[in-house]
Coordinates of all heavy atoms in Angstrom, one line a residue:
A12 N 0.7 5.3 -14.7 CA -0.6 5.3 -14.1 C -0.9 4.2 -13.1 O -0.5 3.1 -13.3 CB -1.7 5.3 -15.3
G13 N -1.5 4.6 -12.0 CA -1.8 3.6 -11.0 C -0.8 3.3 -10.0 O -1.0 2.5 -9.1
Q14 N 0.4 3.8 -10.2 CA 1.5 3.6 -9.2 C 1.9 5.0 -8.6 O 2.1 5.9 -9.3 CB 2.7 3.0 -9.9 CG 2.5 1.5 -10.1 CD 3.8 0.9 -10.5 OE1 4.8 1.6 -10.9 NE2 4.0 -0.3 -10.4
S15 N 2.2 5.0 -7.4 CA 2.9 6.2 -6.8 C 3.7 5.7 -5.6 O 3.3 4.7 -5.0 CB 1.8 7.1 -6.4 OG 1.0 6.6 -5.4
A16 N 4.7 6.5 -5.3 CA 5.5 6.2 -4.2 C 6.0 7.4 -3.6 O 6.2 8.4 -4.3 CB 6.7 5.3 -4.7
A17 N 6.3 7.4 -2.3 CA 6.8 8.6 -1.6 C 8.1 8.3 -0.9 O 8.1 7.2 -0.2 CB 5.8 9.2 -0.7
V18 N 9.1 9.0 -1.1 CA 10.3 8.8 -0.4 C 10.5 10.0 0.5 O 10.5 11.1 0.1 CB 11.5 8.7 -1.4 CG1 12.8 8.6 -0.7 CG2 11.3 7.5 -2.3
K19 N 10.8 9.7 1.8 CA 11.0 10.7 2.8 C 12.3 10.7 3.5 O 12.7 9.5 3.9 CB 9.8 10.8 3.8 CG 8.5 11.1 3.2 CD 7.4 11.2 4.2 CE 6.1 11.5 3.5 NZ 5.0 11.6 4.5
A20 N 13.0 11.8 3.7 CA 14.2 11.8 4.4 C 14.4 13.2 4.9 O 14.1 14.2 4.3 CB 15.4 11.4 3.6
T21 N 15.0 13.3 6.1 CA 15.3 14.7 6.7 C 16.5 15.2 6.0 O 17.4 14.4 5.6 CB 15.5 14.6 8.2 OG1 16.5 13.9 8.5 CG2 14.2 14.1 8.9
P22 N 16.7 16.5 5.9 CA 17.9 17.1 5.3 C 19.1 16.7 6.0 O 20.3 16.6 5.5 CB 17.6 18.6 5.2 CG 16.1 18.7 5.2 CD 15.6 17.5 6.0
Q23 N 19.0 16.5 7.4 CA 20.2 16.3 8.3 C 20.5 14.8 8.2 O 21.7 14.5 8.5 CB 19.9 16.6 9.7 CG 19.6 18.2 9.9 CD 18.1 18.5 9.5 OE1 17.3 17.7 9.5 NE2 17.9 19.8 9.3
Q24 N 19.6 13.9 7.9 CA 19.9 12.5 8.0 C 19.5 11.8 6.7 O 18.4 11.9 6.3 CB 19.0 11.9 9.2 CG 19.1 10.4 9.2 CD 18.1 9.9 10.3 OE1 17.8 10.6 11.2 NE2 17.6 8.7 10.1
S25 N 20.5 11.2 6.1 CA 20.2 10.5 4.8 C 19.6 9.1 5.1 O 19.9 8.5 6.1 CB 21.5 10.3 4.0 OG 22.4 9.6 4.7
T26 N 18.7 8.8 4.2 CA 18.1 7.4 4.3 C 18.2 6.8 2.9 O 18.4 7.4 2.0 CB 16.6 7.6 4.7 OG1 15.9 8.3 3.8 CG2 16.4 8.2 6.1
T27 N 18.1 5.5 3.0 CA 18.0 4.8 1.8 C 16.6 4.3 1.6 O 16.0 3.7 2.4 CB 18.9 3.5 1.8 OG1 20.3 4.0 2.0 CG2 18.9 2.7 0.5
Q28 N 16.0 4.5 0.4 CA 14.7 4.1 0.1 C 14.7 3.2 -1.1 O 15.5 3.3 -2.0 CB 13.8 5.3 -0.2 CG 13.7 6.2 0.9 CD 12.9 5.8 2.1 OE1 12.0 4.9 1.8 NE2 13.2 6.2 3.3
R29 N 13.7 2.3 -1.2 CA 13.6 1.4 -2.4 C 12.5 1.9 -3.3 O 11.5 2.5 -2.9 CB 13.2 0.0 -1.9 CG 14.3 -0.6 -1.1 CD 14.1 -2.2 -0.9 NE 13.9 -2.9 -2.2 CZ 14.9 -3.3 -3.0 NH1 16.1 -2.9 -2.8 NH2 14.7 -4.1 -4.0
L30 N 12.7 1.8 -4.5 CA 11.8 2.3 -5.6 C 11.8 1.2 -6.8 O 12.9 0.9 -7.2 CB 12.2 3.6 -6.1 CG 11.3 4.2 -7.3 CD1 9.9 4.4 -6.8 CD2 11.9 5.4 -7.8
T31 N 10.6 0.8 -7.1 CA 10.5 -0.1 -8.3 C 10.0 0.7 -9.5 O 8.9 1.4 -9.3 CB 9.5 -1.3 -8.0 OG1 10.1 -2.0 -6.9 CG2 9.5 -2.2 -9.2
L32 N 10.7 0.7 -10.6 CA 10.3 1.3 -11.8 C 10.0 0.3 -12.9 O 10.6 -0.7 -13.0 CB 11.5 2.2 -12.3 CG 11.8 3.6 -11.7 CD1 13.0 4.2 -12.4 CD2 10.6 4.5 -11.9
A33 N 8.9 0.6 -13.6 CA 8.7 -0.3 -14.8 C 9.7 0.1 -15.9 O 10.0 1.2 -16.0 CB 7.2 -0.1 -15.2
L34 N 10.1 -0.9 -16.6 CA 11.0 -0.7 -17.8 C 10.4 0.3 -18.7 O 9.2 0.1 -19.1 CB 11.2 -2.1 -18.4 CG 12.2 -2.1 -19.6 CD1 13.6 -1.7 -19.2 CD2 12.2 -3.5 -20.3
G35 N 11.1 1.3 -19.0 CA 10.7 2.3 -20.0 C 9.8 3.4 -19.3 O 9.4 4.3 -20.0
K36 N 9.6 3.3 -18.0 CA 8.8 4.4 -17.3 C 9.8 5.2 -16.5 O 11.0 5.0 -16.4 CB 7.9 3.7 -16.3 CG 7.0 2.7 -17.0 CD 6.0 3.4 -17.9 CE 5.0 2.4 -18.6 NZ 4.0 2.9 -19.3
S37 N 9.2 6.3 -15.9 CA 10.0 7.3 -15.2 C 9.4 7.6 -13.8 O 8.2 7.3 -13.6 CB 10.2 8.5 -16.0 OG 8.9 9.1 -16.3
A38 N 10.2 8.2 -13.0 CA 9.7 8.8 -11.7 C 10.3 10.1 -11.5 O 11.4 10.5 -12.0 CB 10.3 7.8 -10.6
I39 N 9.5 11.0 -10.8 CA 9.9 12.3 -10.5 C 10.5 12.4 -9.1 O 9.9 11.9 -8.2 CB 8.7 13.3 -10.7 CG1 8.1 13.3 -12.0 CG2 9.1 14.7 -10.2 CD1 6.9 14.1 -12.2

Side-chain angles (χ1 to χ4, degrees):
Q14 281 191 343
S15 64
V18 175
K19 296 182 179 182
T21 63
Q23 298 82 15
Q24 171 187 333
S25 63
T26 60
T27 300
Q28 300 290 329
R29 293 193 55 77
L30 175 66
T31 301
L32 280 175
L34 182 64
K36 303 291 182 175
S37 60
I39 300 170

